[in-house]
Amino acid sequence: MSKQYNWYRLTDEVSADEQAITVQEVNGKKVCFSRYQGQLYAFAYKCPHAGGIMADGRMDGHGNVVCPLHRYKFSVRNGYNSSGEGFYLKTYPVEMREDGAYVGLEKSWLGW
């Protein structure tokens, strides 16, 4: 069964700067955003290892967001822990539409 999403339009304040990390609240949830090679990516606000705020980290030149606490690296494309510790950073799908950027949050089993 494929995942189903509720789609939310982002404000126009999503950073256009390559490799900058911004945060927006989406349906009551903080989500980080960054651009890498011209594409917008969305990922979890907190590191899965120790809860570091990912927006306080940085993007490296390989498309990884680096946690500010322990320097764990995660691919913005798929959340893969590229520094080898075995954690996974939640990522969210992003769609560019005529009226702006949208992020998809997975529907819960409750249907919302």
Side-chain angles (χ1 to χ4, degrees):
M1 187 162 109
S2 65
K3 294 180 181 179
Q4 295 184 346
Y5 298 97
N6 288 319
W7 292 91
Y8 301 92
R9 187 179 183 283
L10 304 175
T11 67
D12 294 332
E13 298 165 4
V14 173
S15 177
D17 297 337
E18 190 79 7
Q19 298 186 335
I21 301 172
T22 59
V23 178
Q24 285 198 19
E25 191 164 315
V26 180
N27 195 38
K29 179 184 197 90
K30 289 184 180 180
V31 178
C32 289
F33 296 89
S34 186
R35 289 188 188 276
Y36 177 68
Q37 295 182 337
Q39 187 168 342
L40 184 63
Y41 292 93
F43 50 93
Y45 179 70
K46 291 187 178 181
C47 178
H49 168 247
I53 306 303
M54 299 307 284
D56 293 340
R58 65 178 177 82
M59 291 291 297
D60 71 11
H62 302 285
N64 298 305
V65 60
V66 182
C67 177
L69 293 182
H70 299 106
R71 308 294 185 254
Y72 288 11
K73 296 179 182 183
F74 302 91
S75 170
V76 293
R77 292 179 194 94
N78 58 20
Y80 175 75
N81 177 214
S82 57
S83 53
E85 293 82 13
F87 294 95
Y88 173 80
L89 182 69
K90 177 76 175 163
T91 59
Y92 304 96
V94 174
E95 286 186 1
M96 300 306 291
R97 300 180 184 174
E98 286 184 25
D99 62 337
Y102 284 76
V103 65
L105 300 184
E106 197 171 337
K107 290 182 180 180
S108 75
W109 62 272
L110 297 173
W112 40 270

